């Protein structure tokens, strides 16, 4: 078992312990953020850190470390475990408390950072593309739960992921309560038509992924493609040339089938392939 970071200490993961009264365990009162390091250098770290602060502010969590301090912790974890390319997750909860909603909300926070060597997916997913299904589970309405909070209380996404597993699909497309395309259970979605790239707008209730923002920038800067963010219906995908999903861990995966509808005659298109190459160049890993 690799070392982890728990409440100010590096410790063997087998020895790490969190109270059964932790408010994250009891109530899902917690936030998380994921990071990647490439050749022991953190990628897009500032954007991920700012999103962590955004989530913390929404739940009135004081963040006990600066961006530089968190970077030092992550890289120390990388060194201790002998990783070169790594994937990390930081989880912060309200800490040990009491049961019942009439409870003190000012506990000492729990902070856990875990990681693993990042090996990536089998290359066949990028060469052959994937199938996605349209989930019956809808995205939480942004008026109910702000999508700006990256919460560990993530049952909505889990239900979507379970639907994907039940149907043998790699991922699902989740709609919002207005029937607009929103995002995947753990990814953002894009599609192309001619020289235009489309993606759902933040107003649909999606989590604005850091990789999503990077892909939007690369489309315009490197591929000279205009990106349009808006509110779209499922039928818009049927007229697309390419569909692909993005995330920190998935990078850019082409989609060749949506609910049985074939995209681009089942062939992986050039834009998804090129964007992944440009993303690797942006990371400093080459093509």
């Amino acid at each position: 078992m690799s070392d982890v970071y728990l409440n100010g200490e590096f410790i063997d993961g087998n020895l790490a312990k969190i109270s059964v009264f932790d408010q994250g365990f009891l109530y899902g009162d917690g936030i998380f953020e994921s990071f990647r390091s490439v050749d022991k250098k953190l990628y897009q770290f500032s954007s991920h850190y700012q999103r962590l602060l955004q989530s913390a502010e929404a739940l009135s969590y004081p963040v006990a470390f600066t961006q530089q301090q968190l970077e030092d912790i992550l890289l120390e974890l990388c060194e201790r475990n002998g990783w070169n390319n790594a994937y990390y997750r930081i989880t912060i909860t309200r800490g040990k408390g009491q049961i019942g909603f009439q409870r003190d909300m000012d506990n000492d926070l729990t902070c856990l950072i875990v990681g693993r060597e990042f090996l990536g997916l089998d290359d066949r997913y990028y060469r052959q593309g994937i199938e996605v299904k349209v989930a019956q589970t809808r995205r939480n309405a942004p008026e109910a739960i702000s999508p700006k909070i990256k919460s560990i209380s993530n049952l909505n996404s889990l239900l979507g992921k379970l639907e994907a597993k039940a149907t043998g699909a790699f991922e699902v497309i989740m709609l919002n309560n207005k029937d607009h395309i929103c995002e995947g259970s753990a990814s953002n979605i894009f599609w192309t038509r001619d020289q235009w790239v489309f993606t759902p707008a933040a107003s649909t209730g999606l989590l604005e992924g850091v990789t999503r923002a990077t892909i939007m920038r690369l489309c315009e800067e490197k591929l000279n493609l205009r990106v349009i963010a808006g509110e779209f219906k499922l039928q818009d995908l049927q007229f697309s040339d390419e569909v692909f999903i993005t995330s920190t861990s998935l990078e850019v995966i082409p989609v060749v089938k949506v609910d049985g509808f074939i995209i681009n005659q089942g062939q992986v298109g050039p834009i998804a392939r090129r964007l992944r190459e440009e993303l690797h160049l942006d990371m400093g890993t080459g093509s």
Side-chain angles (χ1 to χ4, degrees):
M1 175 67 72
S2 59
D3 282 358
V4 304
Y5 177 90
L6 178 61
N7 295 335
E9 295 184 292
F10 294 97
I11 185 172
D12 186 315
N14 288 315
L15 303 177
K17 293 181 175 62
I18 295 173
S19 170
V20 295
F21 292 101
D22 191 277
Q23 303 296 279
F25 174 71
L26 290 175
Y27 297 105
D29 186 351
I31 58 175
F32 75 100
E33 189 64 42
S34 300
F35 314 91
R36 273 185 66 183
S37 62
V38 179
D39 293 330
K40 300 184 180 180
K41 295 179 182 178
L42 292 164
Y43 179 64
Q44 299 282 41
F45 181 66
S46 178
S47 296
H48 285 286
Y49 180 76
Q50 291 303 314
R51 192 166 64 179
L52 178 68
L53 293 184
Q54 175 180 278
S55 296
E57 182 180 9
L59 292 185
S60 300
Y61 287 179
V63 176
F65 33 69
T66 65
Q67 180 175 321
Q68 184 60 57
Q69 289 170 332
L70 180 55
E71 181 173 355
D72 292 342
I73 291 168
L74 292 169
L75 294 179
E76 173 69 14
L77 200 60
C78 184
E79 286 294 330
R80 283 173 173 267
N81 290 298
W83 299 324
N84 188 37
N85 300 315
Y87 182 80
Y88 313 88
R89 169 176 161 140
I90 180 171
T91 303
I92 302 174
T93 77
R94 206 173 296 276
K96 183 180 177 181
Q98 301 172 322
I99 59 172
F101 278 93
Q102 300 300 319
R103 67 188 194 277
D104 188 358
M105 304 291 278
D106 297 323
N107 313 301
D108 292 333
L109 301 182
T110 295
C111 177
L112 171 67
I113 304 176
V114 299
R116 60 175 170 81
E117 185 78 22
F118 182 82
L119 301 176
L121 291 175
D122 190 307
D123 193 58
R124 66 187 172 87
Y125 291 109
Y126 303 99
R127 288 186 284 102
Q128 300 174 9
I130 62 168
E131 177 180 3
V132 301
K133 294 287 188 179
V134 178
Q136 296 298 310
T137 304
R138 297 299 178 101
R139 261 289 173 241
N140 292 321
E143 299 85 1
I145 299 177
S146 171
K148 294 184 179 297
I149 303 171
K150 196 161 184 182
S151 169
I152 65 171
S153 180
N154 207 13
L155 186 60
N156 184 250
S157 291
L158 176 61
L159 291 171
K161 184 61 72 175
L162 289 173
E163 286 192 48
K165 182 178 180 181
T167 60
F170 184 93
E171 173 63 299
V172 290
I173 296 173
M174 301 185 76
L175 309 180
N176 65 13
N177 59 345
K178 298 177 182 177
D179 287 332
H180 294 132
I181 299 170
C182 190
E183 59 185 337
S185 66
S187 62
N188 292 119
I189 185 167
F190 293 81
W191 60 97
T192 71
R193 181 70 174 171
D194 299 323
Q195 294 299 299
W196 299 81
V197 179
F198 302 91
T199 193
S203 61
T204 62
L206 57 80
L207 176 70
E208 295 182 75
V210 171
T211 301
R212 171 181 179 270
T214 302
I215 292 302
M216 293 171 77
R217 172 175 60 83
L218 292 174
C219 279
E220 299 197 342
E221 290 182 0
K222 301 297 183 179
L223 276 67
N224 198 31
L225 299 172
R226 177 78 183 278
V227 180
I228 304 296
E231 297 180 343
F232 304 100
K233 296 293 183 75
L234 274 174
Q235 55 262 38
D236 290 299
L237 292 181
Q238 297 181 2
F239 298 99
S240 60
D241 298 323
E242 295 185 41
V243 178
F244 51 90
I245 59 174
T246 66
S247 77
T248 297
S249 60
L250 300 177
E251 299 179 351
V252 183
I253 298 188
V255 175
V256 295
K257 190 186 243 187
V258 179
D259 249 11
F261 184 85
I262 305 297
I263 305 295
N264 192 34
Q265 298 181 324
Q267 301 299 309
V268 171
I271 293 176
R273 187 180 298 113
R274 174 78 187 282
L275 280 170
R276 186 165 180 249
E277 291 172 356
E278 291 293 344
L279 181 63
H280 284 183
L281 290 170
D282 200 62
M283 291 178 174
T285 63
S287 58

